[in-house]
């Protein structure tokens, strides 16, 4: 089901964001509260609440998101040094914005387990 979040406003350019990558279906922009030297959010322009809400009909779009993350990481020089892609799904996992998004994190050592 379609719904509005702060990310909808970023897609529509109603609020500013540092957009660094865009395709017909995907948008990537810097996180407003970065948790690493590189912290970029990759979102579908289609409003999907979270990964649990994704449908088989959105398979291609989900693939687009991962490929966009890889491309943004490559352009940012992270392919060699390493990076992490995270999806927080629901409140218990730290999801605060209910529009599916990938966090691309890099530029520092990333511990495991992530906590
Ligand atoms: P979540 O906690 O849902 O996995 O991630 C939401 C992310 O969106 C957080 O890392 C938060 O800093 C970021 N965020 C929230 N509001 C804004 C905003 O208005 N602009 C940008 N660029 N990032 C935002």
């Amino acid at each position: 089901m379609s719904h509005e979040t702060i990310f909808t406003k970023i897609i529509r350019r109603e609020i500013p964001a540092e957009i660094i990558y865009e395709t017909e279906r995907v948008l990537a922009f810097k996180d407003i509260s970065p948790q690493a030297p590189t912290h970029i959010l990759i979102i579908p322009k289609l409003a999907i609440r979270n990964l649990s809400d994704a449908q088989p009909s959105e398979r291609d779009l989900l693939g687009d998101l991962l490929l966009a993350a890889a491309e943004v990481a490559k352009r940012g020089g992270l392919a060699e040094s390493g990076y992490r892609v995270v999806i927080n799904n629901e409140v218990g996992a730290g999801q605060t914005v209910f529009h599916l998004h990938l966090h691309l994190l890099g530029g520092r050592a990333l511990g495991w387990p992530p906590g």
Side-chain angles (χ1 to χ4, degrees), residues 6-114:
I6 194 94
F7 291 174
T8 318
K9 291 183 166 55
I10 289 174
I11 292 166
R12 289 204 209 108
R13 272 57 170 186
E14 289 170 7
I15 63 166
E18 264 194 83
I19 293 169
I20 55 160
Y21 181 84
E22 182 169 20
T23 68
E24 197 182 327
R25 300 199 289 191
V26 169
L27 191 68
F29 52 90
K30 291 188 179 178
D31 196 294
I32 204 168
S33 176
Q35 302 302 309
T38 299
H39 187 173
I40 294 164
L41 302 173
I42 297 121
I43 69 170
K45 291 183 180 175
L46 179 70
I48 300 170
R49 187 176 187 277
N50 58 24
L51 190 59
S52 293
D53 253 25
Q55 302 300 311
S57 60
E58 292 153 355
R59 189 181 307 270
D60 280 359
L61 180 56
L62 297 173
D64 284 356
L65 291 172
L66 283 176
L67 291 171
E71 180 61 25
V72 170
K74 194 192 296 179
R75 292 183 188 188
L78 296 176
E80 299 295 323
S81 57
Y83 59 89
R84 183 170 294 161
V85 176
V86 174
I87 297 174
N88 295 325
N89 192 82
E90 284 299 342
V91 174
Q95 185 175 6
T96 58
V97 178
F98 288 85
H99 180 127
L100 176 63
H101 52 281
L102 277 54
H103 295 259
L104 171 65
L105 297 153
R108 65 166 170 82
L110 297 165
W112 193 264

